[in-house]
Each structure stands twice: as structure tokens, then as C-alpha cells.
Amino acid sequence: MSQTPPAVITLRNLHTGELLAARGSETPARDLVNRLLRCRWTGRLTAMDPRLLPWILEAARHFGSREVQLVSAFRHAKFNEVLRKKGHEVARRSLHRLGQAVDFRLVDADVSVEDLVAFLRAKRWGGVGRYPHSRFVHLDTGPVRSWGGR
């Protein structure tokens, strides 16, 4: 179900509204990526794992998506704990705390969460979580594993 790859893919931080363009097969500069993916609660940045964004862009190109909505990326440990205590599906030792995970969705492509998860799992890059009711997927650079959520 591969589509014609878009010339520009817009990365949109869901919580800040900030945008970053990925042109052609290029990945934006790491400092810009780290800023876009910073903790939304504290504003702190971390060095995000450099494998994540190319993987996300590969998925977007595969499905012909022109926009990736970034739901969650780096989380300060305190923010991670706040979310966990509020009952969100957040692991105590989440890889988000280490800059090794991103939750995202492809917003303009005709692709289901299930199809996106199947694509990511087949790549065997790392952990893939399925959150169909929230319409996003989790991708991390940890061990290859998968799970389904709400």
C-alpha cells in the first residue's frame, strides 16, 4: 500500500502547535528536532535518539502522509510520574524519559492505526505500542516488542 512519497513532510507538535519541515529524504537538524520534541510540561530538552525521526519519516513516506502529528516525545521524569499517577497508560520506566520514544499519528494519510502498527512491527526497529482509541502509535528504540492499549 505504498504511496508516492511527499516532497515535504510537516512535523507538528500537538501540544505546542510548532511545525518543522522535513524536505525530500532529509532529516531536519538535530537541535531543531530536540526542541520540537521537548518535554511539554517542563520545556526541557534532551538529546532524542537520532534513529526515531528517520523511522517516523520512513513510515510517513511509505503511506504518502504529508503531516506527522507528534503526540508525546521526551518527558521529564516528574511529568512521566504525574501522568502515571493520573491513570494514563504510562510506564514507570518509560523510554520517553530517556528521549528514546515518540507517540505519533499520520493525520492526512488514509491509514489506520492497525496498518501503521503492522508496518512498524514488520520493520523490527524497536518497541511498538498500539493505541487505537487515541489514534496514535508509540515507537521506541528499545528491544523489539509490541503491545496494545486503549
Side-chain angles (χ1 to χ4, degrees), residues 10-21 32-41 43-44 67-74 102-105 107:
T10 301
L11 304 162
R12 178 184 305 271
N13 183 311
L14 173 69
H15 299 284
T16 67
E18 293 170 299
L19 306 173
L20 185 59
L32 297 176
V33 171
N34 292 339
R35 178 163 174 70
L36 183 70
L37 301 179
R38 70 189 179 275
C39 178
R40 71 177 193 249
W41 194 60
R44 289 177 126 171
E67 184 174 328
V68 175
Q69 191 174 69
L70 303 160
V71 178
S72 184
F74 172 61
V102 175
D103 298 336
F104 71 100
R105 60 176 67 109
V107 296

Side-chain angles (χ1 to χ4, degrees), residues 113 117 121 127-131 136-139 145-149:
V113 168
V117 165
R121 287 179 178 165
V128 178
R130 178 179 170 273
Y131 297 91
F136 70 79
V137 299
H138 167 100
L139 178 63
R145 65 207 187 290
S146 61
W147 63 93

Side-chain angles (χ1 to χ4, degrees), residues 6-7 22-27 57 61:
R23 301 182 193 291
S25 62
E26 295 179 12
T27 301
L57 292 172
R61 289 182 186 107

Side-chain angles (χ1 to χ4, degrees), residues 1-121:
M1 168 162 162
S2 183
Q3 305 289 323
T4 302
V8 175
I9 298 172
T10 301
L11 304 162
R12 178 184 305 271
N13 183 311
L14 173 69
H15 299 284
T16 67
E18 293 170 299
L19 306 173
L20 185 59
R23 301 182 193 291
S25 62
E26 295 179 12
T27 301
R30 287 194 64 194
D31 61 328
L32 297 176
V33 171
N34 292 339
R35 178 163 174 70
L36 183 70
L37 301 179
R38 70 189 179 275
C39 178
R40 71 177 193 249
W41 194 60
T42 64
R44 289 177 126 171
L45 284 72
T46 195
M48 294 297 295
D49 191 306
R51 296 174 288 181
L52 284 169
L53 192 57
W55 293 349
I56 292 167
L57 292 172
E58 184 174 331
R61 289 182 186 107
H62 175 80
F63 289 107
S65 179
R66 292 181 312 266
E67 184 174 328
V68 175
Q69 191 174 69
L70 303 160
V71 178
S72 184
F74 172 61
R75 284 190 212 129
H76 188 277
K78 288 181 183 179
F79 182 47
N80 195 76
E81 189 62 14
V82 165
L83 291 175
R84 197 182 69 72
K85 285 184 176 179
K86 285 186 175 182
H88 294 270
E89 291 182 84
V90 174
R92 181 181 306 266
R93 293 191 176 112
S94 170
L95 292 179
H96 286 277
R97 298 173 313 123
L98 305 174
Q100 296 176 329
V102 175
D103 298 336
F104 71 100
R105 60 176 67 109
L106 304 179
V107 296
D108 66 335
D110 185 23
V111 58
S112 67
V113 168
E114 290 76 17
D115 287 342
L116 179 54
V117 165
F119 173 82
L120 296 171
R121 287 179 178 165

